[in-house]
């Protein structure tokens, strides 16, 4: 006999006997109750898979029992089919409102009863599967939230330990998701200069943030060891090329500020905006992306050549990821380098970063950024 249990609630002994025999012939276990009180008592200790409920019964009728059972079952759904005579149809309407699912007129058609039992048991099985999937999904969501929060805290601590914030550098980072796939690392060199990296990892969120981790330690350790920026660029690329899965890479601008700030040396692999502005807030030099992103090329194909720019005290270097330049308005038009240049002139000389951010936001018409945003405003150390 099947483990499926059908609760038959019927005050007529004759009806109980014949329906009970028929249910057992179908292969199901049948438990009988003479009234609503007995049905409620049974369900307090065991949940049936389906209930056949008479309407008119002594002590507690089917309507009262259904209301009480639905309260007991809560979110767990058990099908309830009313057994009723034709002159009790008004009561059936009230019963359906109380939580019943269907009705069957007496005298009961066993063919129809069999069909309804099969249909409702199948629906109940699907509903239970949905409930179980929902519980598993909720459990996964809670665990995932905890793990992501832990990962976020570890990444933020690592970045904060590996970077400084000198007064002449203004920076802004904003993730499109919970994790930032962009990063900014600023490290003093043993000789008194500074090494800076603005990186934009493939995608955004946790996977992008994880892609940045190998670059952070490599960049910091080689800077601390006194390595030249060209060697650092090559070392970071080699590490990312070895560790990152296919299709993952890191667009980056790496900037070496010589001691005293006499010159800038820049390697740009995939960063759209690296602009040096003169004393009047006009573009003095553009450092275009002339290399593939880090992690793409093997060591033997990699080019570590850098662009050198003369840097005067009143000049300012502005660097941003594509989260700003590719910000779109309602028609799909990008903010672009022209938007950055206009915003720099508008905020020149004291509110450059704030002007770029507010202008980009206005361009998006208040919309949400689709990509991580990173922005650097680097003033001359002697400025």
């Amino acid at each position: 006999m099947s483990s499926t249990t059908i609760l038959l609630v019927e005050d007529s002994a004759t009806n109980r006997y014949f329906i009970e025999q028929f249910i057992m012939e179908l292969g199901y276990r049948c438990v009988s109750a003479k009234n609503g009180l007995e049905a409620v008592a049974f369900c307090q200790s065991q949940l049936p898979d389906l209930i056949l409920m008479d309407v008119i019964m002594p002590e507690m009728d089917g309507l009262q029992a259904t209301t009480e059972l639905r309260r007991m079952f809560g979110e767990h759904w058990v099908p309830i089919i009313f057994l009723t005579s034709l002159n009790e149809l008004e009561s059936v309407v009230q019963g359906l409102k109380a939580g019943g699912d269907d009705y069957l007129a007496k005298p009961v058609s066993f063919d129809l009863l069999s069909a309804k039992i099969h249909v409702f048991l199948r629906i109940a099985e699907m509903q239970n599967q949905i409930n179980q999937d929902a519980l598993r999904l909720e459990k996964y969501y809670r665990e995932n939230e905890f793990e992501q929060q832990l990962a976020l805290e570890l990444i933020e601590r690592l970045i904060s330990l590996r970077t400084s914030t000198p007064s002449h550098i203004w920076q802004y980072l904003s993730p499109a998701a919970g994790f930032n796939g962009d990063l900014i690392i600023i490290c003093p060199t043993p000789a008194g200069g500074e090494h800076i990296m603005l990186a934009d990892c493939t995608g955004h969120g946790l996977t992008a943030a994880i892609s940045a981790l190998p670059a952070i330690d490599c960049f910091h350790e080689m800077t601390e060891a006194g390595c030249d920026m060209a060697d650092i660029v090559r070392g970071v690329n080699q590490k990312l090329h070895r560790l990152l899965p296919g299709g993952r890479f890191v667009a980056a601008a790496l900037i070496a500020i010589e001691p005293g700030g006499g010159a800038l040396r820049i390697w740009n692999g995939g960063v759209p905006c690296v602009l040096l502005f003169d004393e009047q807030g006009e573009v003095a030099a553009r450092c275009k992306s002339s290399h593939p992103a880090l992690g793409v090329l093997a060591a033997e194909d990699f080019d570590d050549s850098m662009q050198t720019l003369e840097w005067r005290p009143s000049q300012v270097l502005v660097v941003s990821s594509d989260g700003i330049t590719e910000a779109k308005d309602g028609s799909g038009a990008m903010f672009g380098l022209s938007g950055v240049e206009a915003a720099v002139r508008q905020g020149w000389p004291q509110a450059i970063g704030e002007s770029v951010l507010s202008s980009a936001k206005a361009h998006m018409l208040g919309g949400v950024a689709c990509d991580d945003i990173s922005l650097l405003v680097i003033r001359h150390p002697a400025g």
Side-chain angles (χ1 to χ4, degrees):
M1 180 177 292
S2 169
S3 60
T4 299
T5 298
I6 296 176
L7 173 61
L8 171 62
V9 190
E10 168 65 67
D11 65 332
S12 167
T14 302
N15 288 342
R16 276 202 315 276
Y17 175 78
F18 285 111
I19 296 174
E20 188 175 36
Q21 293 301 310
F22 177 74
I23 291 171
M24 289 190 293
E25 286 179 10
L26 292 176
Y28 302 119
R29 173 175 175 250
C30 184
V31 177
S32 296
K34 295 190 291 293
N35 55 54
L37 283 177
E38 290 186 6
V40 170
F42 174 81
C43 292
Q44 287 173 339
S45 60
Q46 181 180 340
L47 282 180
D49 298 287
L50 183 143
I51 299 173
L52 299 175
M53 179 76 71
D54 193 11
V55 176
I56 306 300
M57 293 180 293
E59 298 190 61
M60 178 183 282
D61 64 27
L63 305 183
Q64 295 171 310
T66 298
T67 300
E68 177 63 20
L69 290 174
R70 285 296 179 222
R71 187 192 64 77
M72 286 173 49
F73 295 155
E75 294 183 2
H76 183 83
W77 182 64
V78 176
I80 298 177
I81 301 174
F82 285 110
L83 304 178
T84 179
S85 59
L86 291 176
N87 60 3
E88 296 171 353
L89 288 181
E90 184 177 341
S91 298
V92 169
V93 172
Q94 297 302 316
L96 294 176
K97 291 179 180 179
D101 300 293
D102 201 353
Y103 74 95
L104 195 59
K106 297 179 183 178
V108 172
S109 164
F110 288 112
D111 288 340
L112 191 54
L113 175 60
S114 174
K116 293 203 175 201
I117 288 175
H118 288 309
V119 166
F120 276 99
L121 286 177
R122 187 166 67 249
I123 294 172
E125 183 180 359
M126 290 188 291
Q127 181 65 43
N128 289 335
Q129 184 62 50
I130 291 171
N131 291 341
Q132 291 173 17
D133 291 343
L135 289 173
R136 283 194 292 268
L137 184 61
E138 182 181 356
K139 180 174 181 290
Y140 168 78
Y141 176 80
R142 288 198 304 268
E143 292 175 348
N144 187 57
E145 282 288 296
F146 174 77
E147 291 171 357
Q148 290 214 16
Q149 188 58 43
L150 178 60
L152 178 60
E153 184 175 344
L154 290 173
I155 290 170
E156 288 178 342
R157 286 188 179 187
L158 178 59
I159 292 175
S160 65
L161 289 172
R162 290 297 196 232
T163 190
S164 59
T165 53
S167 59
H168 62 95
I169 297 178
W170 182 97
Q171 61 176 303
Y172 178 85
L173 283 166
S174 176
F179 292 85
N180 206 328
D182 288 7
L183 64 91
I184 294 172
I185 303 295
I186 305 168
C187 299
T189 67
E194 286 171 328
H195 283 171
I196 302 168
M197 176 170 63
L198 182 148
D200 179 1
C201 305
T202 313
H204 51 263
L206 179 58
T207 54
I210 289 175
S211 299
L213 294 181
I216 296 172
D217 270 347
C218 185
F219 181 83
H220 181 271
E221 289 169 3
M222 292 187 73
T223 295
E224 200 173 51
C227 297
D228 181 74
M229 182 59 89
D231 294 328
I232 295 174
V233 172
R234 181 171 288 277
V236 173
N237 177 77
Q238 187 171 346
K239 190 165 189 178
L240 292 176
H241 183 73
R242 185 175 67 250
L243 293 178
L244 294 185
R248 293 283 167 181
F249 50 84
V250 177
L254 289 88
I255 303 159
I257 301 177
E258 294 185 356
L264 296 166
R265 295 172 58 236
I266 301 170
W267 184 94
N268 188 357
V271 173
C273 175
V274 183
L275 301 173
L276 182 64
F277 290 85
D278 65 16
E279 296 84 345
Q280 286 75 43
E282 300 296 333
V283 176
R286 303 174 189 274
C287 184
K288 296 181 179 180
S289 172
S290 56
H291 305 284
L294 295 170
V296 173
L297 298 177
E300 58 271 19
D301 301 317
F302 186 76
D303 180 6
D304 58 14
S305 60
M306 305 179 69
Q307 181 176 350
T308 301
L309 302 176
E310 181 185 355
W311 197 21
R312 294 191 296 273
S314 53
Q315 294 181 323
V316 177
L317 186 70
V318 175
V319 187
S320 81
S321 65
D322 57 10
I324 287 181
T325 57
E326 295 184 5
K328 296 178 181 179
D329 63 12
S331 63
M334 293 185 183
F335 188 60
L337 286 176
S338 60
V340 175
E341 293 171 21
V344 170
R345 287 193 293 270
Q346 184 178 352
W348 189 269
Q350 297 301 324
I352 296 171
E354 294 86 348
S355 179
V356 172
L357 289 176
S358 62
S359 296
K361 184 176 181 179
H363 180 79
M364 291 187 291
L365 305 175
V368 178
C370 297
D371 201 355
D372 302 324
I373 291 176
S374 54
L375 177 62
L376 269 173
V377 178
I378 306 171
R379 301 180 187 273
H380 197 284

